[in-house]
Amino acid sequence: MSDSGNWRERAATQTRLAFGQALLELGARDPRTVVVSADTQDLLGIRPFIERFRERFIEMGIAEQNAIGVAAGLATTGMRPYVCAYAPFISARSMEQVRNDVAYARQRVVIGAAASGISLGVAGGTHHSLEDLALMRSFPNMTVIVPADIEEAYQATLATQDIDGPVYLRLGGRVEEPTVTDPAVPFRCGKARVLRPGNDVAILACGAMVSLAVQTSDDLRAAGIDARVINVSSIKPLDRETILAAAVETRRIVTAEEHHLTGGLGGAVAELLSVEHPTRMRMIGMPDAFASIGPTVKVREKYGMSAAAIERACRELLDAR
Amino acid sequence: MSESRAELLTRLERAAQQIRRDVFRALRAGGGGHVGGSCSAADILSALYFHRMRVRPQEPEWPDRDRFVLSKGHANAALGAVLAQAGFIDPAILDRFYHFDSPFGMHPDIKMAGIEMCTGALGHGLAIATGMALGARMQKQAFHTFVMIGDGELHEGSNWEAALAASHYRLANLTAIIDFNKIAQSGRLTELVGLDPMADKWRAFGWEVREIDGHDMGAVVDALDSLPFHGERPSAIVAHTVKGKGVSFAEDTYLWHSNNVTDEVYARAMAELGAR
Ligand SMILES: [Mg+2]
């Protein structure tokens, strides 16, 4: 790729745009790459792909069910479809197509789900996506990945080339996502990455919560508390080994996600630990309520998705010793 | 010597009756199932698999094969019957309909040879077939994609999303066959939610439409032989059919959409469908 080097500039700290830039690279690498849009050309930054690979681009319009069904049909012919969509709509509106046509039929369809969580905060609860991880994680055959930043989003998108089955890639919206991962430590599906060492408590985070976890760890370190931070971008398959090691070595686990507390990262970790190594936990995420309307960061903070809340959770576990 | 038209039609009609007999064979093995929609589709399935479609039963994954998607997946007994008759699967599988760990259940499953997609949740097949037709075009493959849709199934809005997209992309390599038997699970469509004027709906969505009697083998063959109906539009065959066709007690009634098939029912059906 002649111009792939500039992808970081064009991704502009947003995972949704890094996904689009990675598609440009995949388009060049594999002639079977085909991009399916649901009127989401700018949302996922796919205009460069469209310009370059016009014949491998399909606009489906605002029809998510059709986009998934068509992608599944394309996959049966040997093409490698990437569906570009809004997380709240592709996970809920077309869930039956995802379950039957993609997961059950085990077709290699990759869903790039942008505007996840409460990144569309001002749009209101109809446009928040706070249950998609629970839904997608419950399907057999499905791989579920939540990149924390553009480096990881780009690498994870490229990595889908080698995943033999459907993938749900949860991406952010028009919000800044600070870089927290080390580009030199490559993304591997099913592998969680330790971003901060520490044996007092472990914070397991995904997506936008990872940078807050790093900030929390740095703040706690000044107070003499060593909080391990693990970026669990691979929700499914889960990195059992890394998570169990954290539970054994720190004895205190805090999970943090921009998702309902039901069924997401915290749920996945709790399912693992309750069976394999019961461990005291605190879970940061959206409680059982529809979120308020408002700017993303303010709404997150209202429901405890903030560095301050993560720190409180760590201290609670430490005080309970 | 090549086959005359009369011989062709006779052969296909006989194959269709064999499909119906095998439907009852499977349904008896399973204790019951979807009689009505399986029998209304039998003649068209016969013409597709034994006349029109280019397939290789011994090489079910042959990349250039024509594709068939049974969107009205509850008629899977008929699809299994035609796949058995064509040689895709061992006919002994018909006796394992609904059985534990069988590849042959109520709805098509890609676990079974010759099945292109897991369908039966209604309103999925047309989008999938549209994707197959697009895949053929992108890879410059000549295969044609057929999808059979139930009439009641057209209540699902997802069909119309796909109908829009297929005509927008001028998919002349795609044919939808509507098994228009006028009846769904709970009764007549006119008493549920009406679908008339059926053909006009497809025309309005940009499809080239032909209406036929789906049990007139000559008409079925002529329609399939005329595909595509238009060089830049997907084709729709609105096939007027009779639910339960060929078995008098099951014809034109919602009561036999799905029902138990006892040994006694099986014997009555076979008596009408002609012994082998
Ligand atoms: Mg019907």
Side-chain angles (χ1 to χ4, degrees):
Chain A
M1 275 298 300
S2 54
D3 53 354
S4 63
N6 293 327
W7 73 264
R8 285 186 182 83
E9 202 175 301
R10 288 191 290 266
T13 81
Q14 299 188 14
T15 53
R16 65 188 177 98
L17 299 176
F19 177 79
Q21 290 295 316
L23 292 186
L24 189 58
E25 173 68 20
L26 282 175
R29 284 188 191 179
D30 187 344
R32 296 170 300 178
T33 306
V34 52
V35 171
V36 178
S37 161
D39 190 17
T40 49
Q41 298 183 16
D42 290 314
L43 180 67
L44 289 108
I46 53 178
R47 287 197 198 269
F49 182 96
I50 300 169
E51 272 169 41
R52 181 143 177 188
F53 306 107
R54 192 80 192 71
E55 72 291 351
R56 286 193 269 135
F57 170 72
I58 303 168
E59 177 58 70
M60 277 296 136
I62 307 159
E64 287 79 16
Q65 298 177 74
N66 197 46
I68 296 292
V70 164
L74 279 163
T76 67
T77 71
M79 298 297 286
R80 296 280 176 84
Y82 288 78
V83 178
C84 299
Y86 278 92
F89 311 138
I90 207 71
S91 63
R93 183 65 158 266
S94 51
M95 191 173 83
E96 188 179 271
Q97 278 79 5
V98 173
R99 186 190 64 173
N100 295 7
D101 308 350
V102 174
Y104 183 57
R106 197 171 184 159
Q107 297 301 322
R108 293 184 68 151
V109 171
V110 177
I111 299 167
S116 68
I118 37 188
S119 59
L120 285 170
V122 297
T126 55
H127 288 57
H128 299 164
S129 181
L130 291 164
E131 62 289 302
D132 55 337
L133 296 179
L135 297 172
M136 293 297 154
R137 188 168 78 80
S138 68
F139 297 145
N141 298 334
M142 187 66 83
T143 293
V144 181
I145 300 169
V146 187
D149 58 20
I150 61 166
E151 295 292 340
E152 196 167 47
Y154 192 84
Q155 289 185 23
T157 307
L158 296 185
T160 60
Q161 261 197 314
D162 302 317
I163 298 174
D164 184 20
V167 181
Y168 183 80
L169 258 173
R170 191 190 206 225
L171 305 163
R174 292 181 165 86
V175 290
E176 192 190 347
E177 295 160 280
T179 292
V180 285
T181 64
D182 179 356
V185 184
F187 168 85
R188 274 171 53 210
C189 184
K191 187 74 193 146
R193 293 189 283 186
V194 177
L195 300 182
R196 291 287 186 276
N199 284 332
D200 294 330
V201 59
I203 309 168
L204 278 50
C206 67
M209 294 299 107
V210 176
S211 69
L212 301 184
V214 168
Q215 186 190 324
T216 303
S217 175
D218 292 348
D219 291 347
L220 285 172
R221 200 169 310 276
I225 297 166
D226 289 334
R228 184 181 305 187
V229 175
I230 304 174
N231 173 21
V232 188
S233 48
S234 185
I235 304 293
K236 185 181 183 179
L238 202 60
D239 184 349
R240 296 164 55 95
E241 205 178 304
T242 300
I243 293 169
L244 283 170
V248 169
E249 289 158 20
T250 73
R251 306 176 314 284
R252 298 170 193 92
I253 298 286
V254 174
T255 59
E257 63 198 303
E258 189 175 328
H259 184 274
H260 277 297
L261 292 173
T262 310
L265 168 65
V269 170
E271 286 161 19
L272 171 68
L273 295 184
S274 62
V275 173
E276 298 295 338
H277 191 82
T279 304
R280 296 187 69 95
M281 285 182 66
R282 289 291 181 274
M283 288 159 71
I284 297 290
M286 187 67 200
D288 188 24
F290 288 107
S292 298
I293 295 169
T296 298
V297 172
K298 287 204 163 180
V299 179
R300 280 179 187 157
E301 282 171 358
K302 171 176 175 179
Y303 296 101
M305 288 169 276
S306 63
I310 297 172
E311 181 173 333
R312 267 198 306 281
C314 292
R315 287 185 181 277
E316 270 177 39
L317 286 177
L318 286 158
D319 289 347
R321 79 175 91 190
Chain B
M1 216 179 86
S2 70
E3 189 180 37
S4 73
R5 179 176 170 86
E7 287 165 344
L8 167 69
L9 299 186
T10 301
R11 178 172 65 82
L12 295 178
E13 283 160 1
R14 283 183 180 154
Q17 287 299 84
Q18 181 66 42
I19 292 171
R20 291 187 173 94
R21 285 193 293 271
D22 284 341
V23 163
F24 276 91
R25 173 179 169 182
L27 265 48
R28 181 175 64 162
H34 292 86
V35 171
S38 295
C39 288
S40 64
D43 296 299
I44 296 161
L45 286 172
S46 173
L48 279 170
Y49 276 87
F50 302 120
H51 174 63
R52 177 60 176 78
M53 283 169 56
R54 294 175 311 137
V55 291
R56 293 178 180 170
Q58 304 308 316
E59 193 188 348
E61 302 288 314
W62 176 43
D64 294 327
R65 70 191 183 280
D66 288 333
R67 305 304 202 265
F68 177 74
V69 177
L70 184 66
S71 192
K72 45 170 283 182
H74 53 280
N76 191 38
L79 182 54
V82 78
L83 292 175
Q85 200 178 149
F88 282 90
I89 55 172
D90 182 346
I93 292 177
L94 296 173
D95 300 319
R96 294 181 58 212
F97 192 56
Y98 292 1
H99 288 197
F100 177 71
D101 228 12
S102 168
F104 190 29
M106 189 181 289
H107 301 108
D109 196 304
I110 50 175
K111 284 194 276 286
M112 197 158 90
I115 300 289
E116 300 288 356
M117 187 42 108
C118 308
T119 52
L122 299 178
H124 289 233
L126 188 55
I128 291 160
T130 298
M132 290 172 174
L134 283 164
R137 175 187 288 176
M138 283 179 193
Q139 295 168 94
K140 300 187 169 48
Q141 286 177 289
F143 69 77
H144 197 92
T145 299
F146 297 88
V147 52
M148 181 180 279
I149 308 171
D151 47 9
E153 178 177 12
L154 289 170
H155 290 151
E156 294 282 6
S158 50
N159 288 294
W160 304 104
E161 295 183 6
L164 275 178
S167 72
H168 177 83
Y169 285 99
R170 303 171 194 275
L171 295 178
N173 59 352
L174 173 66
T175 295
I177 301 168
I178 294 91
D179 183 3
F180 197 8
N181 59 30
K182 325 290 189 293
I183 293 173
Q185 185 164 250
S186 306
R188 292 195 177 277
L189 291 170
T190 50
E191 293 159 8
L192 301 173
V193 170
L195 284 157
D196 284 320
M198 177 69 87
D200 287 346
K201 285 185 174 62
W202 291 91
R203 283 191 194 100
F205 276 76
W207 291 58
E208 194 69 18
V209 185
R210 190 175 290 196
E211 289 192 75
I212 61 167
D213 174 346
H215 303 304
D216 176 345
M217 195 57 84
V220 174
V221 164
D222 289 344
L224 294 179
D225 284 347
S226 306
L227 292 170
F229 297 153
H230 189 287
E232 292 201 330
R233 290 179 196 160
S235 303
I237 298 174
V238 174
H240 294 274
T241 56
V242 175
K243 196 146 180 158
K245 175 72 177 181
V247 185
S248 61
F249 58 85
E251 282 189 0
D252 200 35
T253 168
Y254 75 94
L255 296 171
W256 280 90
H257 171 83
S258 175
N259 210 334
N260 298 332
V261 174
T262 59
D263 288 348
E264 189 248 328
V265 167
Y266 175 78
R268 281 170 64 203
M270 293 303 266
E272 293 194 24
L273 293 169
R276 281 167 214 227

